[in-house]
Amino acid sequence: MPTIQYTGRPGVLDLSWGHPHPDALPVDGWAAATGAALRELGWRALTYGHEAGPVELAQWLCERLAVTDARAPVPAEVFVTAGASHALELLSTQLVEPGDVVLVDAPTYHLALRVLADRRAELVGVPPDPETFGETVTRLRRAGRRVALYYLVPTFGNPTGASLAGDRRRALPAVADRLGVTVVEDDTYRELAYDGPAPPSLWALSGGAGVVRIGSFAKSVAPGLRLGWLTGPPALVTALAGRGYVDSGGGVNHTAAVAMAAFGRSGAFARHVASAVERYRAQRDALVAALGAAGVLSPVPAGGWFVWLAAPGASALLPAAEAAGVSFVPGRRFFAGGGPDDHLRLSFSMLGPADLAEAAGRLAPLLRAASPPPS
Ligand SMILES: Cc1ncc(COP(=O)(O)O)c(C=O)c1O
C-alpha cells in the first residue's frame, strides 16, 4: 500500500492530475501551526471537537471571507468538513433521495459526478443559463421527477477555468430560489485568483437564499489536511451537526481544524496563499505561452488550476499523447453520462514552468494535427 494517491509514470509529464506542486505545500508552516495550536489549546486540541467545527476556525474563516468575498458569513452559517468532497457527500445525504434528479453543470468537476452518483440519483447536465435551468426544472417536474439540487463550480471552474458571468451569477440563484431548488456552489478555487479578485460568490450575491457554498483548504493549503467547510443557512448547519456520526465522533477533523485556525490567525495563511498565487500564475503563464508559441490557441484562466482546450477526438488522442510523453484528461469525462469528445483538460498545478513548456511542446503537434487550420 503506497503513501500517496499520485502515481507517476516514467517519461510522462502528467497534466491530468489536479494536485498541488510539491514545493507549494507548507511543511514547516504547518508544523509551526500544529505546535501553536497544541500550546494554545492543550488537551482541547486533541479531544472531540465541537460538532459544527471549532469556533476558532469558524471565526477566522468568517474574517477571511470578508476579504475574499462580497459577504462574510457568521459562525452559525459555517460547518467544518473533511474537504469539499466531504461537504458534497454530506449535502447529498441531506438533500438527495435515491431516484431524485440532480442537476449538474455541463461540463463540471468529474469526481463530483461520482459523489452525487453514489446517492443513486439520476444526473442531468444543464448549463448555468437561468432560462435553460428554469425550463429544465419545470420539464422534469411535469414528468413527475423530484429535482434535489443543482451543482456547479462557478468561479475558476474545474475543468474550464472559467467563471460564470456577472448577470448569471445573480439571476441563477434567484431562479433556483423561486423554484425551490438548492444551488450547491463549489467555491474550491476562490483563493487562487491570478488577475484580480475572484468574483463574488453566488452565496454572497443571493444573501444566502437557496445557495449552499462549499469550500476547501485543499488547494489553498494542502489536500492531505482533509479540511473544508460549507456556508449555508443556520438550520442546515444545525441539521448537519445533529447527524448521528457527528454526534458520535464530534466535529470533523478537529485537530487539523484548530491547527488551521492557528495557521490563519498567525498570518501564515495569507502569506502562503500570496506565494501560491505567484507560483500558479507563473505556471499558468508558462503553459499558455508555450502552447501559443507552438501554434495552439489557449484560453487564459483567471484563476484555478486548469486550461480547457478545444481538441476534436480528444479521447483517441490520449494514447498518442502518452506515447509522446504527456497526459491529460479527455473532456467528455466532465459531463454527466459522457459528453462531446471535443475538449481536453490540462492541469498546470503539479509541474513547474520548464516541465509545462516541455509538455506543451509534446502535445501541440498532436493538437495541430487534430484541428488543422481552415484552408
Ligand atoms: C471543483 C473541485 N471541488 C472539490 C475538489 C476536491 O476538494 P477536496 O480535496 O477538498 O475534497 C476539487 C479537487 O480537484 C475540485 O476541483
Side-chain angles (χ1 to χ4, degrees):
M1 187 190 291
T3 303
I4 65 171
Q5 189 181 40
Y6 173 69
T7 43
R9 284 166 293 171
V12 176
L13 292 169
D14 203 336
L15 276 60
S16 67
W17 295 71
H19 285 198
H21 192 293
D23 295 347
L25 295 172
V27 175
D28 296 335
W30 190 256
T34 304
L38 288 169
R39 278 193 302 281
E40 183 193 335
L41 297 172
W43 63 270
R44 289 177 185 79
L46 292 174
T47 191
Y48 289 105
H50 176 255
E51 287 82 352
V55 64
E56 291 84 354
L57 181 58
Q59 271 170 356
W60 171 78
L61 180 65
C62 293
E63 286 162 25
R64 180 72 188 173
L65 287 167
V67 176
T68 58
D69 201 0
R71 171 179 169 236
V74 294
E77 294 174 301
V78 174
F79 186 88
V80 174
T81 69
S85 312
H86 178 231
L88 186 59
E89 167 81 13
L90 271 180
L91 285 174
S92 59
T93 55
Q94 196 70 19
L95 301 175
V96 183
E97 297 298 332
D100 281 355
V101 170
V102 166
L103 298 177
V104 293
D105 195 358
T108 198
Y109 174 43
H110 56 325
L111 301 180
L113 300 178
R114 296 214 31 218
V115 175
L116 292 163
D118 281 351
R119 285 296 293 167
R120 286 183 285 136
E122 185 192 341
L123 305 189
V124 173
V126 58
D129 163 50
E131 206 172 315
T132 314
F133 167 77
E135 284 165 8
T136 306
V137 172
T138 306
R139 180 172 51 76
L140 286 162
R141 283 186 175 159
R142 281 208 189 107
R145 305 302 301 275
R146 202 180 90 98
V147 180
L149 58 86
Y150 182 39
Y151 170 84
L152 78 168
V153 193
T155 303
F156 312 140
N158 184 356
T160 64
S163 297
L164 190 62
D167 50 344
R168 291 185 175 187
R169 296 181 90 81
R170 284 180 190 279
L172 183 74
V175 172
D177 191 38
R178 184 164 49 72
L179 292 170
V181 176
T182 301
V183 172
V184 175
E185 173 183 24
D186 187 334
D187 208 12
T188 287
Y189 293 96
R190 168 159 303 276
E191 292 281 357
L192 298 180
Y194 310 134
D195 299 330
S201 68
L202 275 54
W203 177 84
L205 290 172
S206 69
V211 180
V212 181
R213 175 255 303 273
I214 66 182
S216 178
F217 296 110
K219 315 296 174 175
S220 56
V221 185
L225 304 178
R226 303 315 305 137
L227 198 62
W229 43 275
L230 60 82
T231 59
L236 173 74
V237 171
T238 306
L240 294 176
R243 293 191 75 87
Y245 92 93
V246 181
D247 202 12
S248 170
V252 171
N253 214 347
H254 174 66
T255 304
V258 291
M260 184 63 226
F263 194 67
R265 291 193 301 187
S266 70
F269 177 86
R271 286 193 298 278
H272 175 72
V273 166
S275 90
V277 162
E278 292 286 310
R279 173 188 298 276
Y280 292 125
R281 183 194 295 117
Q283 291 178 195
R284 173 201 67 175
D285 290 347
L287 178 63
V288 168
L291 286 168
V296 174
L297 203 60
S298 163
V300 186
W305 278 356
F306 307 106
V307 162
W308 182 241
L309 283 185
S315 303
L317 223 54
L318 186 57
E322 294 191 338
V326 59
S327 192
F328 58 80
V329 185
R332 66 194 317 173
R333 288 198 205 151
F334 299 91
F335 293 83
D341 197 22
D342 59 3
H343 277 79
L344 56 81
R345 187 195 77 173
L346 301 179
S347 169
F348 54 83
S349 58
M350 203 175 60
L351 302 178
D355 280 341
L356 289 166
E358 173 64 26
R362 293 179 188 180
L363 186 59
L366 298 169
L367 291 174
R368 286 199 311 266
S371 317
S375 48

